[in-house]
Amino acid sequence: MTEERDSGPKLVLIFSGKRKSGKDYVTDLIQNRLGLEACCVVRLSAPLKRQYAQEHGLDLDQLLGPGPYKEQHRADMICWGESCRNQDPGFFCRLATRGVRQPVWVVSDARRLSDIQWFQSKFPNQTHNIRIQCSEETRAQRGWSFTPGVDDAESECGLDSGVEFDWLITNEAEALPLDEQLQLHTSL
Ligand SMILES: Nc1ncnc2c1ncn2[C@@H]1O[C@H](COP(=O)(O)OP(=O)(O)O)[C@@H](O)[C@H]1O
Ligand SMILES: C[C@@](O)(CCOP(=O)(O)OP(=O)(O)O)CC(=O)O
């Protein structure tokens, strides 16, 4: 292991938010600002989708994309992922961060308290918790509609209460521009 890896990340920003709140959009924006050398977007769902696709003979690229294919498989992936997490809550956090060398980790998709706790216990001084919020109307404009078994499951609701967020970001047209909101909290 290199010295950099041994010293761990300098900053861990953990993002959560409902489907279509803009988690990927905002975390990509931060990575574009900081550059690929400095910043890694860590997607906890990436190793989950990889493993799920392999076991079920599915198209990984489509599962990783924003289109309808992911939505068709989402409810079953949630159940499958939950059974892995129940056995080992840090399973996907460990896999998703394996080999990450950049000093800034932007985790794009925390969904459960155990996801946040894993990072906080490993990197207590570096970790910040950020919630992306927006109205249901805006999410609907971005393609969201309520799906039983998905929007009422822990995957979407696990962080609705019991978490203290360090920052709230409102990602809608009427809100302060994202650039300005990011600058309020950081020099990103
Ligand atoms: N501030 C924004 N401006 C323009 N498009 C946005 C914005 N935020 C999100 N979107 C678009 O809305 C859709 C859902 O956003 P995404 O980041 O994939 O949400 P999530 O990862 O939370 O499900 C994507 O097509 C994305 O490009
Ligand atoms: C099975 C999932 O990992 C699927 C997550 O896929 P994405 O992270 O791509 O989802 P959104 O960005 O919210 O649209 C959810 C889980 O419960 O782990």
Side-chain angles (χ1 to χ4, degrees), residues 24 41 43 49 80 82 93 125 131 140 147 149 159 168 186:
D24 283 326
V41 175
R43 294 198 164 82
K49 289 174 181 175
W80 182 89
E82 228 130 65
C93 298
N125 300 322
R131 184 71 166 178
T147 308
L159 301 176
L168 293 177
T186 64

Side-chain angles (χ1 to χ4, degrees), residues 119-138:
F119 287 97
Q120 279 175 336
S121 69
K122 291 244 172 313
F123 311 109
N125 300 322
Q126 296 99 311
T127 298
H128 300 268
N129 239 330
I130 303 147
R131 184 71 166 178
I132 303 183
Q133 54 189 12
C134 71
S135 65
E136 290 196 351
E137 288 72 26
T138 298

